[in-house]
Amino acid sequence: MVRLLNVYHPRRTILLIGCEALLIALSFVAAIMLLQGPKSHAVLTGTGGILQLVVTTAAYLLCLYYLDSYDVRMTTNRIELLWRLFCVLGTAGLILSGVEYLYPNLIVVGDIYILAILISLALLLPGRMAFSKILERPVERMIFVGLSDFGCALAQQIQQRRGLGIHLLGYVDDGPPPTTLNPPVARLGSTSELLEIVAKTRASTLVVASRDRRGRLP
């Protein structure tokens, strides 16, 4: 997990943010090259060219972030994702219009801006679809040791947030199974069998979530 703007995010989400920043910037570069032709190099390297690119890209990234487009629960919902991308385009457009009014030379405007938005949509949508497929491949195999009420709540979050990259294999416990867990988590055995279960399931992470850990931790 990586902390960004006081919130912890999976590393794969940080990678997605970086890739989308690159795609947005490349969209504006491509638009400039298509419309300006031989003059594109002069436009990019001229007065304020790179700064315009950075400010415009940053505006879109901030809108993507604050409109929850990087919530891992949204990256796998295509309809919700498409709606949020259009909301991002509208919100970023309003913000950049205000910036243009105050600082006319600080952002990319005109035909270049419109073409860049179309290109960015064509890149971001399939990119998000590919990312959602990556999310389906968990990289961490987890077992809970015990399952208290807090453990049940945590297990539910893990199962709902596939973007965390965690495959919850199940839990071991000596007590009765919890009645508040939905969806259910497989009971793999007792705590005395923990070593064998870990070896059999190739678990990489154990989460201690016992109701009473004093004198009972294996």
Side-chain angles (χ1 to χ4, degrees):
M1 302 290 279
V2 178
R3 188 174 183 179
L4 178 65
L5 298 177
N6 293 322
V7 178
Y8 286 95
H9 299 277
R11 287 185 175 86
R12 287 190 286 185
T13 301
I14 300 301
L15 178 61
L16 174 63
I17 294 174
C19 290
E20 289 195 335
L22 181 61
L23 288 177
I24 293 170
L26 287 176
S27 299
F28 281 90
V29 171
I32 291 171
M33 293 180 67
L34 288 171
L35 293 178
Q36 298 295 325
K39 300 178 182 179
S40 58
H41 183 267
V43 173
L44 288 169
T45 58
T47 304
I50 299 299
L51 181 60
Q52 289 178 348
L53 194 62
V54 171
V55 170
T56 307
T57 301
Y60 275 93
L61 281 179
L62 287 173
C63 288
L64 282 166
Y65 182 84
Y66 282 109
L67 289 176
D68 292 330
S69 297
Y70 293 114
D71 187 330
V72 293
R73 290 169 293 185
M74 300 302 173
T75 54
T76 55
N77 187 325
R78 297 184 180 185
I79 296 177
E80 180 71 21
L81 174 61
L82 183 61
W83 169 248
R84 285 176 184 268
L85 285 178
F86 279 114
C87 288
V88 165
L89 292 177
T91 305
L94 291 174
I95 292 173
L96 291 174
S97 296
V99 173
E100 180 191 6
Y101 179 78
L102 297 173
Y103 306 98
N105 298 322
L106 199 57
I107 63 168
V108 179
V109 295
D111 295 341
I112 293 175
Y113 178 82
I114 296 172
L115 180 58
I117 293 306
L118 296 176
I119 295 173
S120 65
L121 269 178
L123 294 176
L124 290 177
L125 281 174
R128 281 298 185 97
M129 295 303 101
F131 182 74
S132 67
K133 294 296 182 183
I134 294 174
L135 291 181
E136 296 175 0
R137 303 175 184 175
V139 296
E140 187 174 352
R141 299 171 66 81
M142 181 178 290
I143 289 178
F144 275 45
V145 180
L147 209 56
S148 61
D149 291 340
F150 175 78
C152 289
L154 180 58
Q156 287 177 321
Q157 287 296 313
I158 289 173
Q159 292 183 100
Q160 293 170 3
R161 298 166 67 92
R162 291 187 295 168
L164 296 174
I166 297 173
H167 180 199
L168 182 55
L169 300 168
Y171 73 98
V172 297
D173 201 359
D174 298 325
T179 58
T180 59
L181 191 56
N182 185 28
V185 176
R187 189 178 189 276
L188 303 176
S190 64
T191 56
S192 62
E193 302 171 294
L194 180 58
L195 186 60
E196 292 80 6
I197 291 170
V198 168
K200 182 179 179 180
T201 59
R202 304 191 310 279
S204 58
T205 303
L206 299 178
V207 175
V208 178
S210 303
R211 296 178 180 86
D212 185 6
R213 293 185 290 273
R214 284 185 283 185
R216 296 192 177 187
L217 190 65

